[in-house]
Amino acid sequence: VQMIAAIDMADRDTKGDLYEYLLSKIATAGQNGQFRTPRHIIRMMVQLMKPTPEDRICDPSAGTGGFLVMASEELRRTHPDKFHEKAFQKHWNSDLFNGVEFDASMLRIGAMNLMLHGIEHPNLLGQDALSKESGHLKDMHSLVLANPPFKGSLDHDTVDPAILRTVSSKKTELLFLGLILRMLKPGGRAAVIVPDGVLFGSSKAHKQLRQELIE
């Protein structure tokens, strides 16, 4: 605490960086198998996707908000002049950054992280992204960045039937990809970390999802 007290906190970057550093020191896997995505991988994914000021960005498994924070930093770097526009400031503080996270403590950490990085009212939902209550997220976002949980399996009863129509599976990584396809507007884009089984799995659900992606 004494070391932190000596740091000049007037700068947004300092507060955000310090918080990110402390986050990197907490246990890597939470109770529900959350893993913090390494920052250099997030940065690469964000730069590949080239977020624009008009985007609506979402992370359906937001965790500590790393993807949303990195997207915000990239926008500050690439479009500094937009911050003089009133309409963009409103969009920035309310609609641009969206996240869904079902772990309440992760949700609080993520909200704090986004606020420290200068996003006043991040749009964070505390619910299970795969459940029926997330049905209203359909066709809403132009960019999805995510590192969804793998290795889990869910009962069909708990999953939104609309996702099961895209991919009939119990595997969380396939269900999340089905969800992301539903969340994206026509013409939207996504960068998602998946286990290699998504590319090579031979089950009916794997093939169904690959066909959907290609088409």
Side-chain angles (χ1 to χ4, degrees):
V1 171
Q2 286 171 333
M3 284 167 72
I4 292 171
I7 299 172
D8 176 14
M9 290 291 180
D11 185 1
R12 172 185 56 80
D13 285 345
T14 311
K15 276 189 277 206
D17 289 349
L18 182 67
Y19 195 70
E20 289 266 292
Y21 172 77
L22 292 172
L23 283 182
S24 74
K25 296 298 169 204
I26 62 177
T28 42
Q31 294 159 332
N32 301 303
Q34 303 109 332
F35 284 89
R36 291 189 73 252
T37 314
R39 299 291 111 172
H40 62 286
I41 292 176
I42 293 180
R43 187 176 298 111
M44 179 189 76
M45 288 167 69
V46 168
Q47 286 174 354
L48 283 171
M49 288 293 104
K50 298 188 171 65
T52 70
E54 292 74 41
D55 273 324
R56 274 190 73 127
I57 304 171
C58 185
D59 182 348
S61 52
T64 60
F67 279 106
L68 298 175
V69 163
M70 194 66 79
S72 77
E73 296 299 299
E74 183 67 8
L75 280 168
R76 284 183 191 279
R77 190 177 71 79
T78 52
H79 296 87
D81 47 329
K82 292 293 284 185
F83 289 88
H84 301 302
E85 297 173 17
K86 272 273 185 283
F88 176 70
Q89 287 173 10
K90 186 167 182 284
H91 178 51
W92 171 272
N93 280 319
S94 54
D95 309 329
L96 184 46
F97 302 99
N98 307 273
V100 186
E101 174 57 54
F102 82 123
D103 179 330
S105 58
M106 277 286 161
L107 196 69
R108 285 200 297 273
I109 290 171
M112 184 77 177
N113 199 9
L114 287 161
M115 286 172 186
L116 284 174
H117 284 87
I119 299 151
E120 287 172 20
H121 305 289
N123 210 349
L124 298 177
L125 294 177
Q127 61 196 45
D128 180 351
L130 296 174
S131 68
K132 294 183 184 70
E133 60 188 16
S134 299
H136 65 285
L137 297 173
K138 190 175 185 313
D139 297 342
M140 281 180 65
H141 305 97
S142 56
L143 173 57
V144 171
L145 296 158
N147 181 9
F150 313 153
K151 300 282 178 277
S153 72
L154 300 170
D155 289 337
H156 274 174
D157 308 345
T158 59
V159 178
D160 185 350
I163 298 174
L164 294 173
R165 284 197 290 277
T166 305
V167 55
S168 181
S169 174
K170 293 182 176 184
K171 288 183 172 294
T172 48
E173 62 266 30
L174 298 183
L175 292 170
F176 263 101
L177 283 172
L179 166 77
I180 287 164
L181 289 171
R182 261 191 64 225
M183 294 172 91
L184 284 172
K185 291 176 179 172
R189 58 214 194 282
V192 188
I193 297 177
V194 293
D196 56 5
V198 170
L199 298 177
F200 309 115
S202 55
S203 78
K204 188 166 167 244
H206 282 92
K207 290 174 180 168
Q208 183 188 5
L209 184 75
R210 285 200 294 271
Q211 187 173 355
E212 180 83 20
L213 285 170
I214 286 168
E215 289 176 357

